[in-house]
Amino acid sequence: SALSPDGKWVLVTEMLIGSWLPCRIVPFDGSSAGRQVGPPQAPCTAAAWSPDGQWMYFCANAGNGYHIWRQEFPDGTPQPLTSDTNDEDGLAVAPDGRSLVTSAGVSQETLWLHDPKGDRQISQEGNASSPTFSPDGKKLFYILKKGSVRLSHSGELWALDLASGETESVLPGVALLNYSISSGGTEVA
C-alpha cells in the first residue's frame, strides 16, 4: 500500500486466491471500501504517489504485460507510461517527482535435476513448474508455460524420459493449472 502525501488516501494492491486484482484507492480513515483505480479491470502489483499527490502510479497488466501507468488524482483517466516487451515490477517515485524507478525484464522458471550424473537443466525454453516424478521414477512431468509467467498461470503438460532425455507434450493444446499422475503412471487428472 502507499499512503498519499496528505495522509488522507491509501493506494492498495490486492490478491484473491493467488491472482492480482486491480488497484484500489481507499480513504485512510476507513469510511468506505474505496474504488478501483488504474486501467479498468487490470491486475495491479504496485502503486505509488507523486510527491505533490497529484498523480497515482501503477504497475498493471491491461492485457499486454505489466507496465507503468499514471492517473491524475482523484478522477483522471489512466495513461500508459511504458509499453515495451518487458514486464515492469515494483515502483518508486523520486522525492522530487522527476523520475520513476522500476525493475524491468523477462522472468523465466526453469527446472533442474540433481542426480548421480550431476546437475542438469531440464527445461530449456518457456517457464516450467510443478514437477512430478512418475511412480516408477522413469519420467518427470511438468507444466510448461509460454510467454510471460505473470500473463499466464496455465500451460501444457510435458514429460521428460529420464533415461533418454527426450521430452514430449503429454496433452498437446490442453492448458492446465494443476495435474495429478495416476499410480500406474498412465493416466492424468
Side-chain angles (χ1 to χ4, degrees):
S1 61
L3 183 63
S4 64
D6 66 5
K8 295 180 180 179
W9 297 94
V10 181
L11 291 173
V12 180
T13 59
E14 301 176 292
M15 290 187 91
L16 179 63
I17 309 174
S19 296
W20 290 104
L21 299 175
C23 274
R24 176 175 298 281
I25 188 167
V26 297
F28 186 71
D29 66 9
S31 60
S32 81
R35 61 183 168 82
Q36 289 183 1
V37 290
Q41 304 305 312
C44 178
T45 59
W49 290 90
S50 63
D52 61 9
Q54 292 183 13
W55 291 95
M56 301 174 286
Y57 295 94
F58 313 98
C59 285
N61 179 4
N64 62 343
Y66 281 84
H67 298 296
I68 298 176
W69 292 72
R70 74 176 183 173
Q71 181 175 346
E72 194 167 11
F73 178 78
D75 297 313
T77 301
Q79 305 166 355
L81 295 181
T82 62
S83 61
D84 59 9
T85 57
N86 291 323
D87 280 342
E88 288 82 36
D89 187 22
L91 184 60
V93 180
D96 65 5
R98 295 173 41 109
S99 58
L100 302 172
V101 178
T102 189
S103 172
V106 177
S107 63
Q108 184 175 6
E109 296 173 346
T110 60
L111 294 180
W112 287 75
L113 178 66
H114 176 80
D115 62 13
K117 297 177 187 176
D119 293 330
R120 56 185 164 138
Q121 187 173 351
I122 301 301
S123 58
Q124 301 293 327
E125 62 181 64
N127 295 286
S129 63
S130 305
T132 302
F133 285 102
S134 62
D136 63 9
K138 293 181 179 181
K139 289 190 176 186
L140 178 68
F141 294 90
Y142 57 95
I143 294 177
L144 183 64
K145 300 171 243 179
K146 303 287 185 171
S148 171
V149 173
R150 293 192 328 181
L151 291 180
S152 174
H153 297 290
S154 63
E156 285 188 3
L157 182 63
W158 282 71
L160 165 73
D161 183 296
L162 293 169
S164 70
E166 297 288 322
T167 59
E168 67 175 329
S169 176
V170 177
L171 300 168
V174 177
L176 302 174
L177 289 173
N178 295 301
Y179 68 96
S180 183
I181 305 298
S182 68
S183 59
T186 57
E187 296 178 309
V188 176

